[in-house]
Amino acid sequence: MINNNDIAEKARAAAFTPKQRQGIKSVAVIGNYLPRRCGIATFTTDLVEGLSAQAPDIDIWAAAMNDRPEGYLYPDKVRFEIGQGKLSDYGVASQFLNINQTDIVCVQHEFGLFGGPAGGHILKLLGDLHMPVVTTLHTVLKEPAPDYRDVLSRLSELSDKLVVMSHEASGLLKDIYAAPEDKIAFIHHGIADTPFIDPSFNKDKFDVEGRKVLLTFGLLSPNKGIENVLRALPAVIEKHPDVVYIVLGATHPHILNSHGEAYRIMLQQLAHKLQLGAHVVFQNRFVEQNELWEFLGIADIYVTPYLDEAQITSGTLAYAMGAGKAIISTPYWYAAEMLAEGRGRLVPFNDPDAMAAQIIDLLENDIARHAMRKKAYMFSRDAVWKEVSSQYLQLFKEVQRNRDTNPRPRHAYVANIKAITAFELPEIKLDHLKTLTDDTGILQHATHTIPDRDHGYCTDDNARALLAAVMGRKYLAPNGWDLDRLSGHYLGFLLYAFDGQSGRFRNFMSYSRRWLEDVGSEDAHGRALWCLGKAVSLLDNPGHLAMSATLFKKALHAVEGFDSPRAIAFSLVGLHAYLKKFSGDSDARRVCEALAERIFIQFQTNAEDDWPWLENALNYANGKLPHALLLSGRRLHREDMIDMGLASLKWLLAIQTEDRHFSPVGCNGWSPKGGPRARFDQQPIEASAMVEACVEAFHITRDHVWFDNAVMCFNWFLGHNDLNLPLYDPVTGGCRDGLMADGVNQNEGAESSLAWLLSLMTLQKLYADEILNPPAARKSVGYRKSVA
C-alpha cells in the first residue's frame, strides 16, 4: 500500500535531483480507460496502444479515472487509479508522477471526467507536476458558465500544449479563453486503419443481405437525435422498402443511472407508433472494436443526427469516415468541418423531412454515394492511429525541448493551492445515512449504529438530509450513491410535514407515521426553510427543484411572525441561497431584508463590549446567528451587518477555543451571561454551525485566519477536542452523538451524522473553489479586510 508521507518525501527529493535529458523515457496518459464504457475510455486506450506501438522504447502507461469506488479490472497499462470525486487522490497522483520522473503527462480532458465544480480537481494535480503537460481537449464550450471558463483557462495556463481535433476548437480557444495560438496544436481524432470494402460483403453475417443499411452507433443519450431518423423513415421506406436502420449501442452509464432506459423506451415506442417494424433494429449492447468495425462495414449510409451544434469532436463520426461510409449528419461543429468538400451531407437540426430527402437521394445515386465514400476514406488516412501517434510523439519532443530551454516559472497560485489543501479531508461515506433512511425518511436516533425506531422521524433531520443529498449530488456526483432517490424520500417527507392551512411544518412523527404535534417549533420550521432554500440553489433535477421552490415559498411567510432568533437565522441562510437562484423574487427579497434588519437590531440592542451577542445566554447552533448576519451584510451591502457578524463570530471562537482546539458550549446548562459555561455535553451541531460561519467569513474577507478556524472547528469531529476522542466513525461514515464528561456518546443519530456530513461537504466545496480560483482571479472582487 502506498504511504502518502513516503510519496511526499520522495517527490520532494525527486524535484531536486539533477536529471540528464536523454530523450523521452516515460509518458503517462490521464483519462478514462477500458473496460470503462465511454468514448474517452476507448480513445485513451487506443492512444496508449498506438503510442506504444510507434515508440516501443518509451514506457507509456495510463492513470485511469474511476467513477465508482471499486474501479474496474484494468489491463497492466494502467498503473495508477484516481477517484473522480476524491480531491486527495489528485495530489497523490501528482506525487506519484513526480516520483517516477515521468517525462510527459498527456491529459484527456472532458469536464465530466474529473471531480469538483466544472471538473476543477484536475487543476490540483497539474499544478503540482514538474514535467510538461499536453492536454487533449474533447470539449470546448462556446458559451461556458463562469466556472467552466475559469477551469479551461487555468487548464490552458498549466498545459504546455493544447491538442484540438477540429479547427473550430482552435478558434474558440483563442477567442473565448484567450489561449495563445502557439500553444494550440491540431491532431485528428485517431481511428483504426481499416480496408475500403463493399458494404454488401458481410451483410449475410448480420442477416441483412440484400437490404440497404442505415447505421447510428454510440452510447445512447437524449442529445443523439435518433428520433428524427425514425420520423424520416416512413418516407424512405415508401421509396426503398428494403431499408433497415440499425441503432447500435448501450445507454450511456451515467444516463442509465439518472434516467434509466427512458430514452430508449421512447425511441422504441416511437418506432412502434410509426409502424416501422422490422425496418428498425435496436442493438442494446456495448460492442468491442472488432465487432464495431464489422457493423460499420455493412452500412450503406451512416447517420449522426445530433440535436445541438456544440460538439467539437465525435469519435463515431471519425470512425465512420475512416471506414469509408457515406454520411448524413446534422451540422454540429465537428461534422460541418469534417464533412466539407463533398465528404458528407448536412441536414438542418430537427428536420426529419430533410433527413429523409437526403437518405433517398443517396440511396438512388450510387455514383454520388461511392464518390462521397472515397473522399471520406482518403481524407481520413491522416487520422489512422499510426499517424496520430507519431504526431503526438513529435509534440511531446517539442514540449520537452521547449521546457528544457525555457523553464516555466511556477504559477503563483500553486503555493496557495498547497496551503489550502495541506489538511487532507476524509473521504465522504454515506453508508450510515442510508442505514438510517427508509421509505418514509431518515430516522431521528440510533442505538450505537442501529436505527432506533421508537423515536420515529422529525422534519428538521429530513430537511438536513435533503441538503446533504443535494450537496453531494451537486458537488460530488458519485456513481452508485443514488442521491436523487434519497433526495426524493426526504423531499417527500417535508411535503407531507407541511400543513397548508397553518402554513407551518409539523416536526415529530412516530414510526407508525402518526404526527405527534399539530405545529412544530419555530426552529424546526426555520431549519426546513434553510435546507429547502439551499436545495433550490443547488438542484438540477427539475421535479425536485419545482417542489422545493414551491414548498419554500408556501412556508416562507410564517417566519415573519417568529420570535426565535435561531429560526430567523436559519430562514435567512435559506433565503440567501434561494435568492441566488431566483434573485428577482420581490417578495422573498422583502422578507429577507425585514428579517435581516430584525436580527441586526437584536444584536445592536443587546450587545455589549464583553458580550457582543443578541441574547443573555449562549445555547445551541450559535454559529448560525453570525452566519446569517454575514450573508445579509454581503447581499444588502451593509458593512455594519458584516462588522457585527465578524465581531460576534470572533468572540464565539475566543470563548470556545482551548489550547488551539474547539471546545463548544455544552448543553448541560449552556452559557448564561455572567455565569459559568457548561463544558459538556458538546454536540456536533455546534461544530457544524461554526464551520459554515467561518467559511462564509473567509469568503468575505479572504483572511486565512477564518479558513484555519473552520478547519479547527472541523477537527473537533476528528478528535482535536477536550477529550482527544474522535466522534467521526470511519467505518460507517456516521458521527457519534456528543462528547460527554466521561467519554463519547456512542449512538450515531441523524442530527450528529448530518452535522458531520454537511461540515465535510462544506470544506470539500471550499477546497475545490480555492483550486479553481487562484489569487489573481480574486483581485477585482473587492473582498474586505477581516477584523479577526
Side-chain angles (χ1 to χ4, degrees), residues 427-436 448-450 727-736 746-749 753 756-757:
E427 186 174 0
I428 291 173
K429 190 172 185 178
L430 298 183
D431 293 20
H432 193 56
L433 179 72
K434 291 182 176 180
T435 296
L436 291 175
H448 294 283
T449 61
I450 307 303
L727 287 90
Y728 167 56
D729 182 351
V731 176
T732 67
C735 178
R736 299 171 181 98
Q746 295 294 329
N747 299 328
E748 297 182 15
S753 296
W756 157 258
L757 283 173

Side-chain angles (χ1 to χ4, degrees), residues 661-691:
H661 69 259
F662 183 55
S663 177
V665 170
C667 66
N668 292 336
W670 303 112
S671 180
K673 182 179 179 181
R677 177 172 76 90
R679 195 66 173 255
F680 297 100
D681 293 348
Q682 298 176 16
Q683 297 181 307
I685 190 175
E686 304 305 322
S688 179
M690 291 295 286
V691 167

Side-chain angles (χ1 to χ4, degrees), residues 26-133:
S26 175
V27 174
V29 183
I30 300 174
N32 298 350
Y33 210 91
L34 293 176
R36 181 173 172 179
R37 294 182 172 184
C38 75
I40 293 180
T42 301
F43 183 96
T44 306
T45 305
D46 288 344
L47 177 60
V48 169
E49 295 298 331
L51 292 170
S52 299
Q54 290 304 111
D57 56 330
I58 298 178
D59 181 23
I60 297 166
W61 55 279
M65 302 302 305
N66 285 333
D67 62 344
R68 61 188 192 187
E70 66 272 24
Y72 298 85
L73 293 175
Y74 292 115
D76 292 341
K77 280 289 187 183
V78 174
R79 297 186 195 163
F80 198 88
E81 299 176 38
I82 302 169
Q84 175 180 330
K86 192 174 179 182
L87 180 60
S88 60
D89 277 11
Y90 293 81
V92 176
S94 64
Q95 293 169 351
F96 185 83
L97 291 159
N98 290 334
I99 288 168
N100 286 277
Q101 299 192 15
T102 307
D103 292 303
I104 301 289
V105 167
C106 182
V107 178
Q108 303 308 305
H109 183 266
E110 164 73 56
F111 292 105
L113 264 63
F114 308 106
H121 282 1
I122 187 62
L123 302 178
K124 175 173 173 58
L125 191 161
L126 300 185
D128 289 342
L129 292 179
H130 303 151
M131 69 290 295
V133 174

Side-chain angles (χ1 to χ4, degrees), residues 367-439:
I367 294 176
R369 189 171 75 252
H370 292 310
M372 182 188 297
R373 291 182 59 214
K374 185 175 181 180
K375 287 180 180 179
Y377 185 80
M378 296 307 297
F379 178 81
S380 299
R381 293 312 87 201
D382 288 339
V384 299
W385 276 114
K386 179 179 179 180
E387 299 297 327
V388 166
S389 299
S390 295
Q391 291 176 57
Y392 269 98
L393 289 167
Q394 288 300 316
L395 194 63
F396 296 161
K397 292 175 183 177
E398 177 188 336
V399 298
Q400 188 185 63
R401 284 195 304 270
N402 290 343
R403 180 66 73 88
D404 286 346
T405 56
N406 301 290
R408 186 185 66 181
R410 302 287 289 188
H411 289 269
Y413 64 89
V414 171
N416 183 69
I417 291 173
K418 290 181 176 179
I420 287 289
T421 59
F423 168 67
E424 184 175 326
L425 293 168
E427 186 174 0
I428 291 173
K429 190 172 185 178
L430 298 183
D431 293 20
H432 193 56
L433 179 72
K434 291 182 176 180
T435 296
L436 291 175
T437 301
D438 61 18
D439 60 351

